[in-house]
Amino acid sequence: AARPAGAGSLLGKTVTVTAGGTREPLDPVRFLGNRSSGKQGAALARAALDAGAHVRFIAAHMDIPAPDGVELTRVETALELRDAVHRAAPGSDVLIMAAAVADFRPDTNSDTKIKKRDDGTDPVITLVRNPDILAEAVQRRTEAAAGGGAARPVLIVGFAAETGDGSADVLDYGRQKLVRKGCDLLVLNRVGTSLVFGQDTTEVTLLSPQDSESVPAPTYAGTKMEIAHRIVARVAQELDAAVV
Ligand code: CTP
Ligand code: CA
């Protein structure tokens, strides 16, 4: 049952959630994919439904079924996901980009199955960069507002899975990504403390552009469902604060 309107509620709000991993075709039977299970995105959709939102769920490949009760759009490739996001986002209060979007796609998609050749040469796959859908959504909002339109979605949430290395720690990489994308909230998965892909438990830090150096960013460990409720609670709080 939906929560009553008030703190933590998303009643009357439309939330677009992307989930799963995109697949980039090479030929009719092959693709380049990734290990995203879609579990975090599905949990976020469930948590948003629990809070009373109307949920537009844009699903790339998932290992689990899409949750019941969402407005479902299925996509395969990053370019299809991009179209679906840009159709859904301007009419949404919140955009949550939990999908694992392929950074690259093969420059050609053969109409026929790629066969082994007799001349001793093997095919070389050239990759081209996919658009950054999250950064585009932020840019489109800015342009709409500059043109006198509504600055929607009010809240744009990105995800990142990072490991630290010799030159910077996980938080530094997360903050850099937040700035680069221009989103309002970044859910930083700390890879290494627990494996993220396909696992049911994880640890995240919520980063926002307003973070001050002196206050540590909130970090939560738990199941993907528990974390989804934390993220949705934060989203509802930010929406409340954004209303004038
Ligand atoms: N994302 C996107 N479009 C892309 C790639 C990523 O919208 N082409 C979104 C993801 O859904 C996620 C966020 O951007 O919410 C961060 O994804 P990530 O892969 O961590 O960022 P990248 O900019 O691709 O950086 P990296 O080189 O570290 O993969
Ligand atoms: Ca990437």
Side-chain angles (χ1 to χ4, degrees):
R3 268 181 230 173
S9 172
L10 291 177
L11 217 55
K13 306 292 184 190
T14 295
V15 177
T16 293
V17 179
T18 69
T22 62
R23 289 178 161 183
E24 308 296 324
L26 283 158
D27 71 14
V29 296
R30 304 186 180 94
F31 58 84
L32 295 180
N34 62 66
R35 292 188 190 281
S36 172
S37 65
K39 284 179 181 173
Q40 186 67 76
L44 283 158
R46 291 265 311 282
L49 288 169
D50 286 348
H54 173 74
V55 177
R56 293 175 174 163
F57 192 69
I58 303 173
H61 176 79
M62 301 188 19
D63 293 341
I64 57 167
D68 288 334
V70 298
E71 178 188 332
L72 178 64
T73 302
R74 293 233 175 240
V75 297
E76 191 85 10
T77 65
L79 292 179
E80 288 169 14
L81 180 69
R82 175 203 212 184
D83 285 347
V85 166
H86 293 326
R87 269 198 306 274
S92 300
D93 298 283
V94 184
L95 170 65
I96 303 181
M97 284 294 300
V101 184
D103 291 331
F104 310 99
R105 66 181 181 277
D107 69 340
T108 54
N109 173 13
S110 171
D111 290 336
T112 53
K113 188 181 165 193
I114 299 167
K115 302 291 286 178
K116 293 192 291 298
R117 298 187 287 232
D118 295 329
D119 62 4
T121 65
D122 291 325
V124 173
I125 299 166
T126 304
L127 300 176
V128 293
R129 189 79 82 89
N130 274 326
D132 188 324
I133 302 164
L134 176 59
E136 280 184 356
V138 171
Q139 192 190 339
R140 283 175 181 230
R141 176 176 70 178
T142 306
E143 285 165 6
R152 276 159 73 84
V154 178
L155 207 70
I156 299 181
V157 183
F159 275 70
E162 302 287 345
T163 58
D165 60 28
S167 56
D169 74 8
V170 181
L171 270 180
D172 292 331
Y173 281 125
R175 291 218 173 84
Q176 287 167 21
K177 192 161 281 184
L178 177 71
V179 170
R180 199 168 72 238
K181 303 274 182 178
C183 56
D184 309 306
L185 199 60
L186 189 81
V187 181
L188 176 64
N189 261 299
R190 292 154 164 274
V191 181
T193 44
S194 61
L195 280 171
V196 176
F197 291 107
Q199 301 284 309
D200 288 318
T201 63
T202 181
E203 184 179 290
V204 304
T205 299
L206 302 189
L207 297 178
S208 96
Q210 292 88 39
D211 286 343
S212 76
E213 289 288 324
S214 50
V215 184
T219 297
Y220 306 109
T223 65
K224 290 191 173 180
M225 199 62 228
E226 287 163 350
I227 283 172
H229 277 114
R230 297 283 196 173
I231 295 167
V232 164
R234 174 68 178 268
V235 162
Q237 182 194 324
E238 301 267 344
L239 275 188
D240 283 347
V243 171
V244 274

